[in-house]
């Protein structure tokens, strides 16, 4: 069986974690091996980099380099081996987050991010690793802020203002327009059960879930 790589994107508090848990169960019920992972993170080294990126002040280029360094380790140690063994990899954020947060939120150079993407995700000449499906949980920033209120101590990104998250959302829309076959936008501003129905329907339509 061939591997399946699904990434989950959206602004902080958009509802990704809630539905990734349900998808782990749905794929396991189908008899698939599932690797649930996240970015930045997913390996001991990448989790160490995550702590720095989420909690230490740094300039946008340093931030971009660290998330791509973490990604490289994650791809080599976890994602590629799992896909080679036919697993379903459910990844809470991947490279679209770098375009959204560093490119959109921080206004860091989009072309440099595209170069880093090519370097870090190279598989063979002319081929770069990308998710098979990316589910973008689209939620207005003011609704996400209400959902996250009091939920936990906010990290460096969660404490950003609504205009920052509006730029993040615009950057997701730009990434979606450049990869319409890979991206699926889900309206996250509805009851969790309805969000789940939409995700389920999309993955059934794509032939990856029964
Ligand atoms: N459809 C929904 N309606 C109302 N509240 C929701 C919905 N989905 C999730 N929530 C709640 O919103 C909060 C954020 O959800 P969740 O942690 O799943 O988001 P996330 O996208 O994983 O966030 P982050 O990227 O910051 O980790 C949680 O308290 C969760 O219970
Ligand atoms: C992969 C990636 C992530 N980020 C940011 C986005 C979020 O604010 C945090 C991760 O927190 P979560 O609770 O696990 O969603 O990191 C980023 O800025 N750039 C990236 O490439």
């Amino acid at each position: 069986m061939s591997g399946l790589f699904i990434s989950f994107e959206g602004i902080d508090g958009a509802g990704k974690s809630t539905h990734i848990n349900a998808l782990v169960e749905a794929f396991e019920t189908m008899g698939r091996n599932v690797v649930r992972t996240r970015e930045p993170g997913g390996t001991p080294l990448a989790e160490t980099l995550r702590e720095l990126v989420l909690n230490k002040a740094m300039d946008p280029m340093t931030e971009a380099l660290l998330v791509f360094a973490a990604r490289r380790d994650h791809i080599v140690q976890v994602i590629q081996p799992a896909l080679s063994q036919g697993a379903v990899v459910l990844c809470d954020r991947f490279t679209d987050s770098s375009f959204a947060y560093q490119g959109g939120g921080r206004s860091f150079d989009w072309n440099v991010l595209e170069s880093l993407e090519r370097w870090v995700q190279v598989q063979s000449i002319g081929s770069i690793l990308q998710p098979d499906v990316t589910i973008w949980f689209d939620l207005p920033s003011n609704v996400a802020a209400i959902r996250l209120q009091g939920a936990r101590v906010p990290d460096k990104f969660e404490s950003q203002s609504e205009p920052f998250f509006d730029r993040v959302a615009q950057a997701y829309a730009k990434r979606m327009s450049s990869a319409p076959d890979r991206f699926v936008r889900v309206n996250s501003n509805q009851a969790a059960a309805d969000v789940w129905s939409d995700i389920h329907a999309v993955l059934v339509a794509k032939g990856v879930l029964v």
Side-chain angles (χ1 to χ4, degrees):
M1 187 166 288
S2 47
L4 175 67
F5 183 14
I6 306 181
S7 64
F8 301 85
E9 297 286 353
I11 62 172
D12 292 85
K16 296 175 281 87
S17 312
T18 307
H19 297 286
I20 297 172
N21 293 336
L23 279 174
V24 170
E25 208 177 309
F27 281 111
E28 284 180 347
T29 303
M30 285 170 62
R32 299 289 305 253
N33 275 341
V34 180
V35 173
R36 187 202 164 141
T37 187
R38 68 173 181 180
E39 289 210 348
T43 70
L45 174 60
E47 289 290 334
T48 302
L49 294 175
R50 176 188 175 94
E51 282 306 306
L52 298 174
V53 170
L54 267 60
N55 298 303
K56 300 284 181 199
M58 59 187 73
D59 81 289
M61 188 187 292
T62 308
E63 199 173 88
L65 292 170
L66 288 183
V67 291
F68 273 99
R71 179 160 304 126
R72 177 69 190 168
D73 193 53
H74 189 210
I75 289 171
V76 170
Q77 305 289 343
V78 174
I79 298 178
Q80 269 172 343
L83 293 175
S84 308
Q85 286 164 21
V88 177
V89 175
L90 302 179
C91 193
D92 190 342
R93 301 189 179 281
F94 194 61
T95 309
D96 298 302
S97 280
S98 308
F99 283 89
Y101 281 76
Q102 281 67 54
R106 304 267 192 239
S107 305
F108 182 66
D109 193 316
W110 200 268
N111 294 322
V112 174
L113 294 174
E114 286 178 336
S115 298
L116 288 169
E117 180 181 40
R118 280 193 296 276
W119 274 87
V120 165
Q121 290 160 232
V122 66
Q123 298 190 112
S124 56
I125 295 169
S127 145
I128 65 169
L129 175 71
Q130 290 288 11
D132 299 296
V133 182
T134 295
I135 299 178
W136 170 27
F137 292 78
D138 192 13
L139 186 70
S141 53
N142 59 328
V143 180
I146 292 166
R147 286 188 188 173
L148 283 181
Q149 245 166 26
R152 55 196 174 218
V153 179
D155 63 35
K156 203 176 87 183
F157 294 103
E158 288 164 349
S159 43
Q160 292 291 329
S161 61
E162 283 180 26
F164 176 93
F165 288 110
D166 292 340
R167 291 198 299 281
V168 169
Q170 284 161 17
Y172 276 130
K174 183 173 170 185
R175 282 289 279 181
M176 180 166 176
S177 64
S178 69
D181 294 342
R182 170 170 68 86
F183 255 90
V184 176
R185 178 191 163 276
V186 168
N187 173 16
S188 207
N189 195 10
Q190 51 180 342
D194 296 325
V195 178
W196 170 251
S197 298
D198 288 355
I199 294 168
H200 191 267
V202 157
L203 294 179
V204 169
K206 283 189 173 282
V208 296
L209 204 60
V210 287

